[in-house]
Amino acid sequence: MSAPERIPPRGGVTRSGSCAEADGSGEERSGADTAAVHDLLAHGELTVRGQVREASNAVLLCTVERDGRRADCVYKPVAGERPLWDFPDGNLARREVAAYELSRATGWDLVPPTVLRDGPYGEGMCQLWVDSDPEAELLALVEDEEPGPGWKGICFAEVGEGRTALLVHADDPRLRRLAVLDAVINNGDRKGGHLLSTPGGGLYAIDHGVTFNAEDKLRTLLWGWAGEPLTGEALTVLRRLGADLAEGGGLAGRLAELVTLAETAAVRDRVEALLRSGRHPEPGGQWPAIPWPPV
């Protein structure tokens, strides 16, 4: 079997700087730390330092400062969102915040702290910057029909000169949790560049504007577990989410402030469907299963 050709994190995009000044480690935070980060992101002074030009919507790299605390962050103003035919205009920033809220409710904390706030270009989402590990091995290409131990095959990809290779993702419990989260939020755009493995061993996922649609939109690179039984951990988390999404539940109330009532109900329906099947979802066949470009 040929050795995997590693695909770098963040689609090859890197940046210096760290969120360590905000939360100490960039990894697991206590409740007090999380509250402090939220306060900094929501109320700190935003200063624009640059822009991610290859992004489809306006993505501004900023620093945020308050009471002697400082962090790097990403600010996506609503004014910079491109209209989409299947999502309400000016609503992507709220979906990013909704994805963070649901991630927090799972206890997995797979999405960096994200708030909705006013900024230099109006209302938008503000998310703590997370540095990625340039040596992380989450995606790879292998020129074999079988991915081998530690990898899950996704699809074949052209690699030039008439050659194809199997695009694979790591058989990693962190990614498996993310696959469950994506199924719940109905992520229509889970690309490889959205996966951030941190130097401390954590995993974060970014770019959740195309989520929470009431219709099935799931497009992802994390199909490696499709049809397999959900883990006991995932089933426990889904049962907890179901209770929190019930009428009067705290999560249901938070989502209703960010997405439509129909979309909030659809989240509840997806959780119930996962619990009934007890398995990871499979591509439905009525929507492209893998986003383009995939990385």
Side-chain angles (χ1 to χ4, degrees), residues 47-69:
T47 302
V48 177
R49 302 295 186 186
Q51 180 178 4
V52 179
R53 297 192 178 278
E54 63 268 28
S56 57
N57 298 295
V59 180
L60 304 178
L61 306 179
C62 303
T63 56
V64 60
E65 298 184 66
R66 177 174 168 85
D67 297 334
R69 295 172 62 85

Side-chain angles (χ1 to χ4, degrees), residues 19 42 50 59 179 221 227 282:
C19 60
V59 180
L221 284 185
E282 299 180 82

Side-chain angles (χ1 to χ4, degrees), residues 62-123:
C62 303
T63 56
V64 60
E65 298 184 66
R66 177 174 168 85
D67 297 334
R69 295 172 62 85
R70 178 183 180 277
D72 295 327
C73 62
V74 173
Y75 163 53
K76 297 183 182 181
V78 170
E81 294 179 4
R82 290 185 180 181
L84 298 174
W85 67 269
D86 51 351
F87 285 84
D89 291 349
N91 193 248
L92 303 188
R94 291 176 178 270
R95 294 169 192 275
E96 297 248 25
V97 178
Y100 169 64
E101 291 290 343
L102 203 144
S103 170
R104 283 189 73 195
T106 65
W108 291 331
D109 290 324
L110 293 167
V111 180
T114 311
V115 303
L116 192 70
R117 60 162 292 169
D118 195 32
Y121 300 101
E123 184 181 74

